[in-house]
Amino acid sequence: MSQVVEDDFVVPLNLSDCRLDQVMAELMPDYSRSRLQQWIKQGSILVNKKTLRPKDKVRVNDLIEVQAELESQGDWEAENIAIDVVYEDDDILIINKQAGMVVHPAAGNYSGTLVNALLHHYPAIESVPRAGIVHRLDKDTTGLMVVARTLTAHAHIVDQLQTREMGREYEAVVVNPMTGGGTVDAAIARSPKNRKKMALHPFGKVAITHYRVLERFPAYTHIRVKLETGRTHQIRVHMASINHPLIGDQTYAGRLKLPAGISDNVKDALRSFGRQALHAKQLTLIHPRTEEEMSWESELPSDMQALLATLAETK
């Protein structure tokens, strides 16, 4: 089974005026120089939407986009891992993902992933690119995902994602009270300072997030979020950028700051919430065979329900 490697980078100042293959070796150290050079030559690595040669130099703030096929060292193993399937037919699956599950095998997570589980429960899905995965949820984000069971369904759903026809709505609990809803329209790219993080960057990919208030608490807010685009960590980065990081987000929220005057019960709930408070609540798409619009919703997981109930004590 082949794996698609997708990523994007903005060239940092310290790599300006360096060869493209040297820059890629710095930005993607998990891959060999020869593999990166091959991807550059075959057009799988673009700089400002153009194909360059490995020896061509890049400049600060150039946008590098990677979309390459990576043959696995061996087929991913099927594993008998329970998954919550909320809908299935011959074309698609709708999965309600649990917290802690990685979606696709990668360095450090070759087993125990959603793909491993899908290969066990639906062996024929091995013939579909990325075992039918067309969009991801972060390891600790819960909620609804669509999986394509056929090549035709895969192409159809990928097209819906690209044309922004697929509707994805989330619920989150964020730090600080909000006065009202709004939209964050700010491009996102991988952080030049920390390649494991994403960041706002004027030369990144377009990213648009709409949000509205569901419930206010004295120091926190329960919100509904609608994605217009689907960048890595988009909701987490956008909410942090407007001073409303997600509760439990150890990557983008910084050190936990407890508001004054809250009870020990609330303090314990906030300290013990060990993931970002984010749930993919609703998924809407056009069925690839029937062309019918379909929609699904899933309840908030028990940990988020308990968090909201505890925050209600602060009102």
Side-chain angles (χ1 to χ4, degrees), residues 176-238:
N176 298 324
M178 283 185 174
T179 56
T183 296
V184 181
D185 183 349
I188 290 175
R190 193 160 297 280
S191 170
K193 298 177 182 178
N194 182 347
R195 60 184 303 275
K196 294 183 178 181
K197 294 177 66 174
M198 307 301 290
L200 300 188
H201 199 291
F203 297 98
K205 290 186 176 180
V206 172
I208 302 171
T209 304
H210 308 282
Y211 61 92
R212 60 185 174 89
V213 173
L214 294 179
E215 187 175 10
R216 295 182 185 87
F217 306 101
Y220 302 94
T221 310
H222 180 198
I223 62 173
R224 182 92 168 200
V225 180
K226 184 173 183 179
L227 286 183
E228 195 168 318
T229 55
R231 308 306 176 203
T232 301
H233 298 176
Q234 179 173 321
I235 294 172
R236 299 164 63 188
V237 172
H238 273 177

Side-chain angles (χ1 to χ4, degrees), residues 170-182:
Y170 295 69
E171 288 192 18
V173 189
V174 300
V175 176
N176 298 324
M178 283 185 174
T179 56

Side-chain angles (χ1 to χ4, degrees), residues 12 29 35 55 79 82 90 136 142 165 241-242 259 261 275 306:
R35 184 188 295 278
K55 68 178 182 180
E79 296 181 60
D90 292 339
R136 303 187 187 193
T142 56
E165 290 180 281
S241 75
I242 59 170
R275 67 179 185 94

Side-chain angles (χ1 to χ4, degrees), residues 89-106:
D89 59 29
D90 292 339
D91 303 285
I92 60 173
L93 302 168
I94 305 299
I95 307 292
N96 189 25
K97 191 184 85 66
Q98 64 191 33
M101 175 176 272
V102 173
V103 169
H104 201 285

Side-chain angles (χ1 to χ4, degrees), residues 12-30:
L13 181 61
N14 66 304
L15 295 179
S16 186
D17 295 321
C18 294
R19 288 170 52 115
L20 177 56
D21 57 355
Q22 294 173 335
V23 171
M24 295 313 301
E26 288 288 329
L27 297 176
M28 302 183 76
D30 294 338

